[in-house]
Amino acid sequence: MKLSTNTAGQTSGILDDMKIFVSRDENRGISFTNKEAAYYYTQSHLNDHVEHAYFAGLNISKSRIFSGYTLIADQQKLDNQEAEVCVYPYKMVRMHGSLTEELWMFDYKNVLEIRLTGAQETIGIELLGEQLNLLNPRDGIAFFNSIEGGWVIAVGAAGNQPVEVKNHTVYSAANAGGFYIAVGKTVAEAADMIHDTRRDAVSMKHERMKRMEDFLQKNVCIASSSDSLALSLNWLNITMDQLVTRQQGDGIYAGLPWFNEYWGRDQFIALPGAVLVTGQFETAKNILLSFAKFQNTDAASKYFGRVPNILALKNVDYHTTDGTPRFIIQLQDYVKYSGDTAVITELYPAVQNSIEGSIKHWVDDKGYLMHDDNETWMDARDANLKSYSPRDTRANDIQALWYNQLQAGVYFAEYMGDSGSAKKWGNIAAKLKRNFAADFRDQSHPYLADRLNPEDEPEFSLRPNQLFALDMIEDDFFKCEVIKTAWEELVYPWGVASLDQKHPFFHPFHLTSLYHKDEAYHNGTVWLWLNGIAMQRMIEAGQEETAYTLFKNMNWQALNLGVVGGLSENMDAYPQEGQSWAKLTGAYLQAWSNAEQLRVWYQYFLGFRPDMIHQALTLAPRIPEEIRDLQARVKIGSGTIDFTYTATAATEQTYHYGFKGIGLTAVIDISPFKILQIEVEKDCELKITRTELELTATLSDKSGITGKEIIVSRLPLREEQQLNVKQVFQHVKFAEPADLENHPVTKR
């Protein structure tokens, strides 16, 4: 791809094509991280967000440094509300008439550049925030203390000109071109960072932009003529990568502004979409190894074998049940993607501890994994520690995770030659699956119970958690009923609600004066990360067109609402009065929301699902009809696969896979045709052509010489299954907000 040159003299290419203009009425959030412990947040025109404005400005290691800035040019303050604003992956630009402001952040450095060009005589910057006391100047640089954390802020001219301070505003000559803001633990450290940045700013900008450019071109390489598809996915990849940081070793921020730390649950939900599908295997491995170091190894503790729920700078907490199963499942996913079997030997003791600790302290006679009331992801409690959404003692998603943890344990035990553990864990998984199918179903509900309570009674609140548990159900017709029921009752066009609207505890709005926000948090509030499993189940049921409607909505949202290019934590279940779209709430950028959108794209729409321990790759593309052409790149093991798709007619599609540096068994799964297996050697090309009646797989070597061709017809059994499923999902629709006039929550 050809690189262009921007106004700062830096190559940018694809990044400049991603710029998004933001109007004053939109007033969107804009966020950058330094890929370490710092992030900068602002709104394009006015910092007035009810939840996020408090965190405006620079934040480092959970401490607020300063709350933004005001610029002055030739003694006139610039009004951001009158500016024209556009956002790039690497910078924000505000046009103030003939003046241009640029905000830059640098990788792995606590430094900002605020460029201001177009002034005639002087420029100035006033840092905002309470208790920013001026310290003694040094070497023509101004210093302030930070709002929190005991940091020192240095403000210097971008050129070598000195600055002067008047009434807490830092001034310099117009030809300085702007200011550098550096943050260190001491005055000397902060001053050195200013001097270093003056010397290295050009190369630092280039390195940051090149990192982003290389990431998009070498790891994902998405292109399509379909409306905004590539643009939205590129932005989602970039904003997701913002949260993959080195604050405390490699890790993934749970979200911004207040979750800039590593959470076990969030991290392992996010890990596939954040780093595996984009081929960042070394980062994934480091995350797994890092959390393994903090596993509880006290055999006498009831938390023996657990990894932390929170791995923060000053806090390690083990009070969650689902984080540890997800850790083991993601270890398996990492091996499947990377082929790194050496890590199995290294971490197999952690696998053993995680499973045996649960068996010793938490597993009942039926094989269920017991847990405390606040130890699922629905963990909100009131001031008296009473759960707002009770889910003890056996929640359905916890049983699904435990089942998959056991299955992953068997996978690793067999590799290690530990036949005793493989047999033991496999037997528990089989018992769990049998009991689950019996205990979580009854004849009067077309869906699963959300939990078994302490009295062993099933509790049938309709929640989305059951979508995680369908792998333990063999009845395909019932599974389709569950998916359809969940979709029509819980899945709104903007996302998946945490409770069905007919339930007396349903809360339609997250933030309202009617009740405390945590009452709504898991009792109606939409969680965008749940879109992933909802879309996955729809695609597995052959309903990719329905799933794609939600997928497109989320892409549109990333480009048009909230923080530029990313997805929020939550939304209201219902639009506010007079609105057609629900309000975004919670963290403005949430890792698992972005990650699940990306995971479903790669694993279920594109259909890449590897198992490199067995040198196998399932290819199960489910490309929606709207997409007529597509290019993407996927990293598997030590190689890459360049994927091209074209739909030349309503009944003919071509899937082309170029394998580079990798050979494996390709398992081709395109319904209603027979599943094929074909051995692919390194640097070969696989072309699959689908017509109404036939599926043709052609394998060619790197010279283009055809080595094998397989032609199969439609399989009657799969045709029949497809027809039966189609009847179940005929006329399926999104959930629709109901009249709240007589709902118990709004009446009280």
Side-chain angles (χ1 to χ4, degrees):
M1 181 175 293
K2 183 179 179 181
L3 299 180
S4 60
T5 302
N6 68 12
T7 56
Q10 305 294 326
T11 57
S12 58
I14 189 175
L15 301 179
D16 277 358
D17 293 337
M18 292 170 62
K19 68 181 176 183
I20 290 179
F21 290 93
V22 182
S23 71
R24 176 178 175 177
D25 289 341
E26 291 171 320
N27 193 31
R28 298 182 65 184
I30 299 164
S31 181
F32 303 106
T33 75
N34 71 346
K35 294 283 288 179
E36 196 169 61
Y39 74 88
Y40 191 91
Y41 167 79
T42 186
Q43 289 173 257
S44 56
H45 294 79
L46 178 66
N47 285 318
D48 64 353
H49 194 283
V50 65
E51 293 183 279
H52 307 148
Y54 177 81
F55 297 93
L58 184 64
N59 299 258
I60 301 175
S61 300
K62 303 290 288 183
S63 295
R64 296 164 61 227
I65 306 303
F66 64 92
S67 297
Y69 58 86
T70 298
L71 290 177
I72 297 97
D74 298 326
Q75 307 304 315
Q76 295 293 318
K77 285 189 175 182
L78 304 186
D79 185 355
N80 293 340
Q81 295 188 64
E82 300 299 324
E84 296 181 6
V85 182
C86 63
V87 184
Y88 300 77
Y90 57 91
K91 68 176 179 179
M92 176 195 70
V93 178
R94 290 190 180 111
M95 298 297 297
H96 305 270
S98 61
L99 302 168
T100 301
E101 167 195 353
E102 293 188 6
L103 166 67
W104 289 75
M105 204 165 196
F106 299 111
D107 285 353
Y108 310 114
K109 300 183 187 301
N110 295 335
V111 179
L112 297 172
E113 179 184 88
I114 313 298
R115 294 201 65 80
L116 181 58
T117 56
Q120 299 301 310
E121 296 180 359
T122 62
I123 57 174
I125 186 168
E126 178 188 0
L127 300 188
L128 306 178
E130 66 275 17
Q131 299 175 341
L132 291 177
N133 296 321
L134 180 66
L135 306 177
N136 292 329
R138 170 177 164 179
D139 298 333
I141 299 171
F143 298 92
F144 302 84
N145 62 353
S146 61
I147 297 173
E148 299 170 346
W151 297 84
V152 174
I153 307 167
V155 182
N160 285 316
Q161 297 90 330
V163 301
E164 60 176 341
V165 182
K166 297 178 181 178
N167 297 322
H168 274 65
T169 299
V170 181
Y171 290 95
S172 189
N175 62 3
F179 300 92
Y180 294 130
I181 304 173
V183 181
K185 279 299 184 182
T186 65
V187 166
E189 181 185 22
D192 286 345
M193 294 167 69
I194 294 289
H195 296 309
D196 291 346
T197 305
R198 285 172 175 163
R199 182 189 66 230
D200 300 330
V202 172
S203 61
M204 288 161 61
K205 288 181 179 179
H206 179 76
E207 288 167 6
R208 182 170 170 89
M209 293 164 61
K210 187 176 186 302
R211 172 182 60 78
M212 295 180 183
E213 189 94 41
D214 287 349
F215 174 60
L216 293 178
Q217 291 183 349
K218 296 178 180 179
N219 290 48
V220 295
C221 203
I222 300 167
S224 176
S225 63
S226 185
D227 181 41
S228 300
L229 177 64
L231 178 62
S232 57
L233 289 172
N234 281 334
W235 264 109
L236 286 163
N237 271 301
I238 285 289
T239 53
M240 180 68 256
D241 193 58
Q242 277 191 28
L243 302 180
V244 181
T245 71
R246 295 179 184 170
Q247 175 170 275
Q248 195 173 359
D250 284 329
I252 304 169
Y253 280 166
L256 297 176
W258 42 76
F259 300 134
N260 52 324
E261 57 195 358
Y262 303 158
W263 288 60
R265 172 192 298 130
D266 298 57
Q267 187 144 235
F268 296 121
I269 289 172
L271 191 137
V275 292
L276 290 184
V277 299
T278 52
Q280 299 176 84
F281 302 141
E282 190 66 23
T283 299
K285 179 179 179 179
N286 290 340
I287 291 170
L288 292 162
L289 292 174
S290 174
F291 262 75
K293 292 177 182 177
F294 291 91
Q295 186 179 38
N296 188 316
T297 55
D298 179 2
S301 169
K302 69 175 184 177
Y303 300 126
F304 173 61
R306 286 190 181 184
V307 297
N309 181 39
I310 302 175
L311 182 54
L313 295 170
K314 298 180 181 179
N315 181 28
V316 179
D317 178 85
Y318 294 95
H319 289 80
T320 185
T321 298
D322 52 345
T324 302
R326 290 189 182 278
F327 165 68
I328 302 302
I329 293 164
Q330 290 317 309
L331 174 60
Q332 182 183 31
D333 280 353
Y334 163 72
V335 175
K336 286 183 173 182
Y337 267 89
S338 68
D340 175 14
T341 54
V343 78
I344 300 176
T345 302
E346 185 173 1
L347 290 184
Y348 188 61
V351 175
Q352 292 174 300
N353 289 345
S354 75
I355 296 175
E356 292 297 331
S358 291
I359 292 172
K360 179 179 179 180
H361 295 289
W362 296 95
V363 175
D364 69 8
D365 292 340
K366 287 189 171 183
Y368 292 127
L369 183 62
M370 308 286 282
H371 53 85
D372 291 337
D373 197 31
N374 67 320
E375 289 192 338
T376 79
W377 76 275
M378 291 185 164
D379 55 3
R381 296 187 291 176
D382 65 16
N384 297 315
L385 303 184
K386 181 180 179 181
S387 176
Y388 285 121
S389 48
R391 302 196 68 228
D392 66 330
T393 54
R394 286 145 293 179
N396 56 20
D397 54 321
I398 297 299
Q399 307 319 309
L401 291 169
W402 171 231
Y403 175 77
N404 287 316
Q405 180 185 3
L406 288 165
Q407 295 286 72
V410 171
Y411 179 92
F412 293 129
E414 290 176 345
Y415 178 83
M416 294 294 294
D418 183 359
S419 58
S421 293
K423 182 178 180 180
K424 175 184 177 181
W425 300 341
N427 287 339
I428 295 173
K431 178 169 66 173
L432 170 67
K433 186 175 181 179
R434 288 194 305 271
N435 288 321
F436 184 91
D439 294 343
F440 281 76
R441 287 183 61 179
D442 69 12
Q443 296 298 314
S444 60
H445 294 91
Y447 57 90
L448 294 169
D450 186 59
R451 63 185 174 111
L452 301 182
N453 67 19
E455 289 73 40
D456 293 331
E457 300 166 337
E459 196 279 318
F460 279 93
S461 294
L462 178 53
R463 295 184 181 275
N465 306 300
Q466 64 192 287
L467 294 172
F468 295 101
L470 295 185
D471 293 338
M472 292 195 292
I473 300 294
E474 297 291 344
D475 184 338
D476 288 338
F477 180 78
F478 177 71
K479 286 200 284 189
C480 288
E481 280 192 310
V482 171
I483 296 167
K484 182 181 180 183
T485 301
W487 193 274
E488 295 196 322
E489 300 297 334
L490 298 169
V491 184
Y492 297 87
W494 39 85
V496 181
S498 44
L499 183 64
D500 116 77
Q501 60 187 324
K502 300 183 184 71
H503 197 287
F505 291 172
F506 174 74
H507 293 64
F509 306 111
H510 189 190
L511 303 177
T512 175
S513 60
L514 296 173
Y515 43 75
H516 191 280
K517 66 179 182 178
D518 282 348
E519 288 189 62
Y521 206 33
H522 301 112
N523 290 322
T525 296
V526 163
W527 289 77
L528 299 187
W529 79 276
L530 294 171
N531 295 358
I533 190 64
M535 290 186 286
Q536 175 184 327
R537 295 308 188 197
M538 268 293 177
I539 295 168
E540 289 173 337
Q543 307 304 303
E544 60 266 20
E545 299 299 332
T546 300
Y548 191 63
T549 302
L550 180 57
F551 186 82
K552 273 190 66 177
N553 287 351
M554 291 301 98
N555 287 348
W556 173 86
Q557 188 162 292
L559 295 180
N560 294 279
L561 297 179
V563 70
V564 172
L567 296 175
S568 65
E569 178 187 12
N570 302 119
M571 296 180 72
D572 288 340
Y574 289 1
Q576 300 285 331
E577 185 175 357
Q579 301 297 312
S580 60
W581 199 257
K583 179 182 177 181
L584 281 63
T585 66
Y588 64 74
L589 179 60
Q590 190 78 353
W592 59 15
S593 300
N594 264 35
E596 279 294 274
Q597 181 82 347
L598 294 168
R599 180 188 68 84
V600 167
W601 169 250
Y602 287 99
Q603 293 183 351
Y604 288 91
F605 285 113
L606 297 187
F608 286 88
R609 299 198 286 275
D611 184 0
M612 292 306 293
I613 199 171
H614 297 121
Q615 291 296 302
L617 170 64
T618 295
L619 300 173
R622 302 292 187 265
I623 311 296
E625 291 182 1
E626 179 181 306
I627 300 175
R628 310 306 294 172
D629 61 271
L630 179 65
Q631 296 176 36
R633 177 169 293 152
V634 176
K635 289 192 171 185
I636 305 291
S638 59
T640 60
I641 303 170
D642 286 329
F643 172 64
T644 303
Y645 168 80
T646 55
T648 56
T651 57
E652 183 173 327
Q653 298 89 37
T654 301
Y655 312 84
H656 188 276
Y657 303 87
F659 293 81
K660 297 179 180 179
I662 185 172
L664 43 72
T665 301
V667 181
I668 303 167
D669 178 5
I670 299 178
S671 186
F673 301 96
K674 177 184 177 181
I675 295 177
L676 298 176
Q677 289 192 14
I678 188 166
E679 299 300 319
V680 179
E681 295 183 356
K682 287 184 179 180
D683 302 323
C684 285
E685 295 187 353
L686 175 63
K687 179 182 178 182
I688 302 169
T689 303
R690 173 184 179 173
T691 66
E692 186 68 22
L693 301 176
E694 291 183 339
L695 187 73
T696 304
T698 305
L699 189 65
S700 305
D701 64 20
K702 56 186 177 182
S703 301
I705 299 173
T706 300
K708 179 181 288 187
E709 183 172 274
I710 304 174
I711 302 175
V712 294
S713 302
R714 299 164 73 96
L715 196 64
L717 179 60
R718 295 194 84 177
E719 283 188 298
E720 182 181 355
Q721 291 171 339
Q722 202 172 53
L723 181 62
N724 292 338
V725 169
K726 184 177 180 180
Q727 291 176 342
V728 173
F729 288 98
Q730 192 172 19
H731 307 307
V732 68
K733 59 183 181 180
F734 283 111
E736 298 178 357
D739 185 359
L740 287 174
E741 184 176 352
N742 295 312
H743 197 281
V745 169
T746 54
K747 283 180 67 179
R748 71 184 183 188

